[in-house]
Amino acid sequence: MGCIASTPAGEANNKPVTSSVGGTHYPNWTLPPPFKIEPPPTLSELHKKREEFWDTQPSYGGSREIWDVLKAAVTSAQSSGDIQTARLFVESAGIIVATPHLTVVFDERGAKYDIPRWVLATPTNVAPEPETNGDVA
């Protein structure tokens, strides 16, 4: 038997609450659902773009520490599939998640952090890697 106040797990339980500083907060955020991007990148291009994003994004504003926590949370969720640990990283840093899929977040001082979907999840239309014929010029 279930508890009278229990709620289902997963995205159905991802209801917004009011954050400590006002506004909407999604404590049970998830990674984005399947999506496509155009033009379709190869997996190596996608990894390179993600590295560039994490290396350059802090220069556009916000705190380096918050960017580091966001990167750790995303990496944890992607590599191990452990979304609960990723959520703990975000919560412990006081990050306010303004969207259900972590694409827009704010720190406690109100700085906004935008994370593209392709950084958070791999698109469904990843192109195959180009074949190399082994010739060296």
Side-chain angles (χ1 to χ4, degrees), residues 23-75:
T24 302
H25 174 58
Y26 288 85
N28 295 320
W29 56 269
T30 61
L31 294 178
F35 64 96
K36 292 182 179 183
I37 60 174
E38 294 298 332
T42 63
L43 203 50
S44 60
E45 290 170 341
L46 185 62
H47 287 304
K48 183 177 179 187
K49 283 180 69 171
R50 285 177 176 166
E51 286 176 27
E52 288 174 5
F53 173 82
W54 290 120
D55 289 344
T56 61
Q57 200 58 17
S59 64
Y60 295 110
S63 163
R64 170 57 113 178
E65 292 79 16
I66 298 296
W67 282 115
D68 289 345
V69 169
L70 290 169
K71 181 179 181 182
V74 170
T75 302

Side-chain angles (χ1 to χ4, degrees), residues 2 10 15 18 22-23 26 33 47 61-64 71-72 75 99 101 103 106 113 126 130 132:
K15 303 287 187 226
T18 302
Y26 288 85
H47 287 304
S63 163
R64 170 57 113 178
K71 181 179 181 182
T75 302
T99 59
H101 304 295
T103 53
F106 294 89
Y113 302 78
V126 172
T132 57

